[in-house]
C-alpha cells in the first residue's frame, strides 16, 4: 500500500512487540478494509431483513421509525467505548487482551470465553439466516426444496466451507472480498430503498411513528401477548442484534495498517454507516407495506410477503441475489473474526490443542487450524441445537439469544474494567484515538446500563429459558476456572514476561519471513 511507509510498519510492529507478540499475521488490510470487515459482519441486509418481524410483528411502524435509532445508539455506545481501548491495545482477539491487561487473568479468560462462544454461535446464526433467506427467495420457489435438517446442514456445510477456504487462502483475498462486500451492502441497501419507495402505494410517513401492539396472534406469535410498551422494548432487539460484530475491527488489528488509528475508526464508522443506511432501507420498506395489520400477521415471512405483493418479479430476484451474496460475505467476515479470536486465545494457551490452533501458515500467513475449527464448530452447533426443542421453541433460537447476550458481556467486561483502570498503572498510556477521561467514562457507564437492558430483554418469552441457560453457563464457567484454569492458564504476557518473549518473537517472525 502506497501510504504505508516503512516507518508506519515499524511503528505497528513496535506496538505489537511492546505487548509481547510477534508479527506473524500479514498486514494487508487498509483502514477501509478494517471498516469493511465490521460493516460486512453487521450486514444490515442480513439481520435487518431476517429479523425484521421482531419490529413489524411487535410495535409496528414505530419499532422502525423510533426503535431503530434507539437500538443503534445502544450499539454505538459500546463501539465508542471499545474504540478507546482498541487504540491503546491493537491486538488480534483484542477484547481478551483488554480484559487481561485492564483486569487480571480471570477477567481476560472470562472475556475470551464469552466472546468466543458468542462468535462461533453467531456465525452459525448468520449462515442459518442465509439458508432461510435462500429458501424463501430461490430454494423453494425455483428449486422446490423442502426445509429438512439434512437440507439445512448440507447447505451450511457448503457455504461455511467456502467461507473457511477463502479465509484459509490469505487475508489479501479475504480483504478484497470484504471491501467488495462493503460497497455491495451500500449499493443494495440504497437500491432496495428506491425500489420500495417506487413500489409504495402512498407515503404514510406517520406510520413510522405510530405505535401498535401486534403481540400474540395479531403478529403471528412472533412475540407472546404482552403490553404495548413491553413489545416496543422487545423490538429494540432488532437493531441491537443486527448492529453487532464491530469487534471484528479489533480482532483483525494485527493485519491492519496503522492499527492504533484505523481500528477505532473502523469500529465506530461501521456502526454509524450501518445505522444510517439501515434506517433508510427499513423505513422505505415499512412505507411500501400495503397494510400494517396484514404485514404483522405474516410473522417471520413479512419481507417475502411484501416483496411478492409490491415488487416486479425480475427486480425482486435481482435484489434477492444481491442480498444473498451480501449475506454470504457477512459469514465470510465472521469466519475471519472467529478465527482471529481462537488464534489469539490459543497463542496464550487458553484452549485445548492451543499449539495447533495458534499456528500460522508460512504460505498463507493465516491461522489455518483456527479458521477450520471455528467453522466446523458453528455447523455442529446448528446441527445439534436443531434437533431439540423446549416446548414449542427450538433450542437453537434460545441458545442464539443466550450467546448474543454473551457477546455483549464480552464487550462490557473490558469497558467496565477500563472505567476503573483509567489513569492507573494498568492503563496509563492512551492511544492516538482518545476521547478523554470524562467522555470515555460517560460512554462506559452508558454501556453498563445498556448491558443490563440487553440482558433483561434477551431472557424474555419466548426465550425465557435463556435465563436458565445463561445462569447454568456461568456456574459451569466458575467450576472450570476454579477447578482447572486458575492454576493452568497464565494469560497474555504482562510485565517481565514481555521481555522474555523477545527471543521467541524474533524466531516466530523469521519463520514467516517477516524479518
Amino acid at each position: 500500500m502506497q501510504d504505508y511507509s516503512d516507518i508506519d510498519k515499524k511503528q505497528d510492529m513496535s506496538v505489537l512487540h511492546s505487548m509481547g507478540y510477534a508479527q506473524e499475521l500479514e498486514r494487508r488490510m487498509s483502514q477501509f478494509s478494517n471498516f469493511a470487515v465490521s460493516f460486512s459482519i453487521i450486514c444490515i441486509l442480513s439481520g435487518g431483513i431476517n429479523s425484521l418481524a421482531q419490529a413489524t410483528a411487535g410495535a409496528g411502524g414505530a419499532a422502525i421509525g423510533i426503535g431503530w435509532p434507539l437500538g443503534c445508539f445502544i450499539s454505538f455506545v459500546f463501539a465508542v467505548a471499545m474504540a478507546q481501548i482498541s487504540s491503546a491495545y491493537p491486538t488480534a482477539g483484542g477484547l481478551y487482551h483488554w480484559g487481561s491487561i485492564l483486569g487480571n487473568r480471570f477477567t481476560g479468560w472470562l472475556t475470551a470465553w464469552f466472546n468466543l462462544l458468542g462468535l462461533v454461535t453467531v456465525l452459525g446464526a448468520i449462515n442459518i439466516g442465509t439458508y432461510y433467506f435462500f429458501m424463501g427467495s430461490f430454494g423453494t420457489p425455483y428449486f422446490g426444496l423442502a426445509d429438512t435438517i439434512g437440507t439445512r446442514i448440507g447447505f451450511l456445510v457448503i457455504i461455511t466451507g467456502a467461507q473457511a477456504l477463502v479465509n484459509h487462502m490469505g487475508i489479501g483475498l479475504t480483504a478484497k472480498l470484504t471491501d467488495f462486500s462493503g460497497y455491495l451492502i451500500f449499493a443494495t441497501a440504497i437500491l432496495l430503498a428506491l425500489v420500495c419507495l417506487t413500489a409504495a402505494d402512498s407515503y404514510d410517513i406517520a406510520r413510522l411513528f405510530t405505535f401498535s401492539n401486534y403481540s400474540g396472534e395479531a403478529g403471528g406469535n412472533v412475540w407472546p401477548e404482552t403490553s404495548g410498551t413491553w413489545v416496543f422494548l422487545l423490538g429494540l432487539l432488532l437493531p441491537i442484534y443486527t448492529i453487532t460484530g464491530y469487534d471484528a475491527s479489533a480482532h483483525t488489528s494485527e493485519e491492519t495498517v496503522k492499527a492504533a488509528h484505523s481500528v477505532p475508526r473502523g469500529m465506530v464508522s461501521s456502526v454509524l454507516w450501518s445505522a444510517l443506511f439501515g434506517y433508510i432501507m427499513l423505513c422505505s420498506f415499512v412505507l411500501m407495506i400495503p397494510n400494517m395489520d396484514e404485514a404483522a400477521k405474516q410473522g417471520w415471512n413479512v419481507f417475502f410477503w411484501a416483496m411478492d405483493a409490491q415488487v416486479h418479479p425480475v427486480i425482486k430476484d435481482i435484489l434477492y441475489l444481491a442480498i444473498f451474496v451480501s449475506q454470504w460475505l457477512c459469514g465470510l467476515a465472521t469466519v475471519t473474526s472467529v478465527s482471529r479470536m481462537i488464534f489469539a486465545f490459543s497463542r496464550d494457551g487458553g484452549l485445548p490443542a492451543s499449539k495447533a490452533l495458534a499456528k500460522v501458515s508460512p504460505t498463507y500467513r493465516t491461522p489455518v487450524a483456527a479458521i477450520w475449527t471455528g467453522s466446523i464448530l458453528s455447523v455442529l452447533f446448528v446441527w445439534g441445537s436443531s434437533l431439540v426443542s423446549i416446548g414449542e421453541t427450538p433450542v437453537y433460537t434460545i441458545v442464539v439469544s443466550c450467546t448474543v447476550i454473551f457477546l455483549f458481556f464480552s464487550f462490557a467486561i473490558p469497558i467496565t474494567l477500563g472505567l476503573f483502570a483509567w489513569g492507573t498503572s494498568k492503563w496509563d498510556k492512551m492511544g492516538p484515538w482518545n476521547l478523554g477521561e470524562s467522555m470515555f467514562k460517560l460512554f462506559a457507564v452508558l454501556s453498563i446500563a445498556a448491558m443490563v437492558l440487553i440482558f433483561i430483554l434477551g431472557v424474555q418469552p419466548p426465550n425465557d429459558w435463556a435465563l436458565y441457560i445463561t445462569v447454568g453457563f456461568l456456574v459451569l464457567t466458575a467450576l472450570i476456572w476454579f477447578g482447572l484454569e486458575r492454576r493452568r492458564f497464565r494469560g497474555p504476557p504482562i510485565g517481565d514476561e514481555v521481555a522474555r518473549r523477545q527471543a521467541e518473537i524474533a524466531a516466530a517472525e523469521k519463520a514467516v519471513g517477516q524479518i
Side-chain angles (χ1 to χ4, degrees):
M1 281 170 277
Q2 294 181 351
D3 61 341
Y4 190 49
S5 66
D6 287 340
I7 294 175
D8 293 327
K9 181 178 180 181
K10 288 180 180 179
Q11 186 173 1
D12 278 334
M13 289 179 64
S14 177
V15 172
L16 195 56
H17 290 174
S18 71
M19 291 182 283
Y21 294 116
Q23 183 64 64
E24 296 181 86
L25 304 175
E26 188 175 19
R27 289 193 189 268
R28 292 284 299 277
M29 298 183 71
S30 64
Q31 181 172 313
F32 179 81
S33 296
N34 185 272
F35 153 80
V37 73
S38 285
F39 187 68
S40 297
I41 294 178
I42 292 171
C43 192
I44 52 177
L45 299 172
S46 179
I49 290 174
N50 295 334
S51 301
L52 185 57
Q54 290 179 318
T56 56
I64 298 297
I66 299 173
W68 179 268
L70 286 176
C72 289
F73 178 74
I74 289 172
S75 291
F76 176 72
V77 300
F78 281 99
V80 170
M82 289 163 60
Q84 173 77 46
I85 306 173
S86 72
S87 186
Y89 303 109
T91 62
L95 289 91
Y96 149 68
H97 199 259
W98 308 341
S100 302
I101 293 290
L102 301 177
N104 51 46
R105 288 186 306 128
F106 170 68
T107 54
W109 181 84
L110 187 65
T111 302
W113 275 106
F114 276 143
N115 192 244
L116 188 56
L117 181 62
L119 287 171
V120 168
T121 50
V122 164
L123 172 59
I126 288 169
N127 283 342
I128 199 66
T130 303
Y131 162 76
Y132 281 118
F133 182 84
F134 172 79
M135 291 295 286
S137 56
F138 300 112
T140 301
Y142 287 101
F143 301 107
L145 296 176
D147 178 25
T148 66
I149 290 181
T151 303
R152 196 180 311 156
I153 301 306
F155 183 91
L156 255 66
V157 168
I158 292 171
I159 67 168
T160 309
Q163 292 160 349
L165 183 61
V166 170
N167 273 274
H168 181 136
M169 295 171 65
I171 192 61
L173 176 60
T174 304
K176 288 177 182 177
L177 286 174
T178 51
D179 285 357
F180 169 72
S181 174
Y183 293 117
L184 180 63
I185 292 170
F186 278 127
T188 306
I190 291 300
L191 180 59
L192 178 58
L194 290 174
V195 168
C196 288
L197 292 174
T198 302
D201 296 329
S202 62
Y203 298 143
D204 182 12
I205 303 298
R207 175 184 291 180
L208 296 170
F209 308 99
T210 300
F211 289 86
S212 304
N213 185 350
Y214 294 120
S215 61
E217 292 185 8
N221 291 311
V222 169
W223 299 115
E225 191 166 346
T226 186
S227 69
T229 300
W230 195 244
V231 82
F232 173 77
L233 291 174
L234 290 171
L236 295 178
L237 293 176
L238 169 63
I240 291 171
Y241 283 10
T242 299
I243 310 294
T244 188
Y246 38 85
D247 55 323
S249 289
H251 291 313
T252 54
S253 293
E254 292 177 32
E255 292 153 285
T256 301
V257 302
K258 304 178 185 178
H261 297 269
S262 300
V263 170
R265 288 183 173 88
M267 199 176 299
V268 173
S269 60
S270 66
V271 172
L272 289 175
W273 284 112
S274 295
L276 176 61
F277 277 76
Y279 192 60
I280 294 170
M281 179 186 77
L282 293 178
C283 285
S284 301
F285 178 82
V286 170
L287 292 175
M288 181 189 72
I289 291 174
N291 183 286
M292 287 301 296
D293 293 343
E294 289 299 315
K297 291 178 183 177
Q298 303 305 314
W300 295 108
N301 193 48
V302 62
F303 181 75
F304 294 116
W305 171 81
M307 294 292 284
D308 288 343
Q310 300 293 107
V311 179
H312 188 278
V314 174
I315 296 175
K316 179 181 67 176
D317 284 348
I318 292 172
L319 283 168
Y320 284 172
L321 180 60
I323 293 169
F324 173 70
V325 173
S326 297
Q327 292 185 2
W328 183 83
L329 291 169
C330 171
L332 172 74
T334 308
V335 170
T336 306
S337 189
V338 172
S339 62
R340 273 42 174 190
M341 181 62 220
I342 293 174
F343 162 76
F345 197 26
S346 299
R347 183 168 56 180
D348 294 322
L351 291 171
S354 282
K355 287 186 178 180
L357 292 173
K359 189 174 180 180
V360 175
S361 166
T363 303
Y364 298 107
R365 300 290 297 276
T366 55
V368 171
I371 289 168
W372 287 100
T373 298
S375 301
I376 291 169
L377 286 175
S378 73
V379 175
L380 291 176
F381 154 68
V382 174
W383 174 67
S385 60
S386 296
L387 298 175
V388 184
S389 296
I390 298 177
E392 297 181 357
T393 306
V395 165
Y396 163 78
T397 61
I398 298 172
V399 174
V400 166
S401 181
C402 292
T403 52
V404 174
I405 291 172
F406 293 158
L407 198 59
F408 275 99
F409 270 157
S410 74
F411 298 170
I413 292 171
I415 291 173
T416 303
L417 294 170
L419 176 64
F420 297 101
W422 183 290
T424 69
S425 58
K426 290 186 175 183
W427 195 12
D428 56 358
K429 185 179 180 181
M430 304 299 143
W433 201 90
N434 190 357
L435 295 171
E437 182 177 2
S438 298
M439 190 62 69
F440 170 76
K441 289 187 173 181
L442 171 62
F443 276 92
V445 171
L446 289 174
S447 298
I448 295 168
M451 182 67 252
V452 173
L453 176 64
I454 291 169
F455 178 75
I456 292 172
L457 295 178
V459 298
Q460 298 305 310
N463 298 319
D464 41 328
W465 269 88
L467 174 61
Y468 306 109
I469 294 175
T470 301
V471 172
F473 178 79
L474 291 172
V475 171
L476 178 62
T477 299
L479 292 175
I480 293 173
W481 172 257
F482 289 106
L484 177 63
E485 295 297 314
R486 184 177 60 170
R487 293 184 295 272
R488 190 197 67 82
F489 180 61
R490 296 174 62 187
I494 299 173
D496 293 339
E497 179 63 21
V498 174
R500 288 194 289 270
R501 288 278 186 104
Q502 298 306 310
E504 297 176 16
I505 289 173
E509 290 180 349
K510 184 177 180 181
V512 296
Q514 186 65 42
I515 57 175

